[in-house]
Each structure stands twice: as structure tokens, then as C-alpha cells.
Amino acid sequence: MYKARGMEGHTMGNRGFSFIEMLVVFIIVGVVVAFGMPRLRESLEKSNVRSAKAGMATLVAKARAAAVSRGCTATMSLTSGTVAISVCTVGGGGTQILGGVDSLAARYKVIMTASAPSMQFDPRGLSVNYSGMTVRFSNSSGSVSDSVIINPLGKVVRQ
């Protein structure tokens, strides 16, 4: 007749994975991660430098726009990795820091160096005294670096 099949030939040791199988899988995963980490770190550092450059270009555009819209000189000051834009108040009675002080270096974990401590934009959005500026960004080891060049007219010419 019909005989029910059971688990008579199986023991608890035959279920799942053995310790050796799991160990082999962990070793393979570890080797793959060990080879991938340096590339991942380098791409993250490149991304940080690119983001800092884009942030700097945005701040230059913001300073120029503030000078034009308020009809006065706007000053972009760069000190120890921070950027501050000071411009006249809307009523014209004094100056104010526009949008607070932005710490690009700390936010993107880069080193920021500028060829000049500040840059001014006149009410037309042009650089005062037609002076240009170069702002260089690099990672802590210096292996990844790039720069933003602001021409004498006050425009970002390389990004």
C-alpha cells in the first residue's frame, strides 16, 4: 500500500550550512570589500572636491546677484575654509552677512586655499578693480585637487 515518507534518513546536521562553508563565504566577501574600499574612498574624495567647487561657484553667483539687486558693493571674504558674503542692507543703512557664513571646507572635508582673501563685486556684478581669484580645493592627502577660477569680470570661468 501507500507508505508515508518521513525524515528517517535525515539528521539535524544535514540542514543549513556548515561552519566551513560560511567561513569561505565570509573570506570571499572580505577579499572583495578589501579590493573595493580604496576605489570607493577615492571616488568619495573626488565627489567632495567637485561638490565644494560647485558650492563655491554658487556663492560667487550669489555675491554678484546680491550686488546687482541691492545696487551696492558686495564682498565675498574667504578665511580658513569659510566664505562670507557681506552686502548693504535692503534699506541701505549698513551691511549684513548674506545667508550666514558657509564653511565649505568643513562640509565637504576638503582643504580650501584662495589666491586672495576677498573679492568685491560692484553694482553691475563686475569685480572691483578687475581683479581675479583662484580658489583651490584638495583632499587632505593632496591626491585629488581642482580649482575654481573667477575672472576679472567676476564670472566663474572654469568649473
Side-chain angles (χ1 to χ4, degrees):
M1 300 276 260
Y2 180 76
K3 188 173 180 180
R5 292 184 189 219
M7 300 279 294
E8 58 271 348
H10 298 283
T11 63
M12 283 300 268
N14 290 337
R15 291 169 145 174
F17 299 104
S18 72
F19 175 73
I20 299 297
E21 291 169 329
M22 292 298 289
L23 187 61
V24 168
V25 168
F26 284 132
I27 288 172
I28 291 171
V29 168
V31 168
V32 169
V33 168
F35 281 112
M37 285 304 285
R39 278 200 157 163
L40 183 63
R41 183 179 24 242
E42 184 178 328
S43 66
L44 180 62
E45 289 173 349
K46 283 181 181 178
S47 175
N48 285 344
V49 168
R50 276 192 301 264
S51 296
K53 278 180 40 179
M56 185 67 203
T58 301
L59 290 170
V60 170
K62 184 178 179 180
R64 291 184 72 212
V68 171
S69 69
R70 297 195 184 185
C72 63
T73 301
T75 303
M76 185 177 65
S77 302
L78 292 90
T79 54
S80 64
T82 63
V83 180
I85 300 169
S86 58
V87 67
C88 63
T89 58
V90 176
T95 60
Q96 73 180 70
I97 301 293
L98 189 64
V101 177
D102 196 346
S103 181
L104 288 175
R107 184 179 348 150
Y108 297 111
K109 297 176 181 71
V110 295
I111 298 167
M112 183 175 95
T113 54
S115 61
S118 66
M119 186 166 197
Q120 291 186 319
F121 301 97
D122 67 17
R124 298 171 295 168
L126 302 175
S127 172
V128 173
N129 299 327
Y130 298 102
S131 61
M133 176 188 282
T134 301
V135 183
R136 189 162 186 77
F137 299 96
S138 64
N139 63 343
S140 58
S141 66
S143 62
V144 179
S145 65
D146 209 342
S147 59
V148 170
I149 299 171
I150 306 162
N151 73 10
L153 295 177
K155 289 194 154 224
V156 175
V157 291
R158 186 175 135 210
Q159 255 199 350

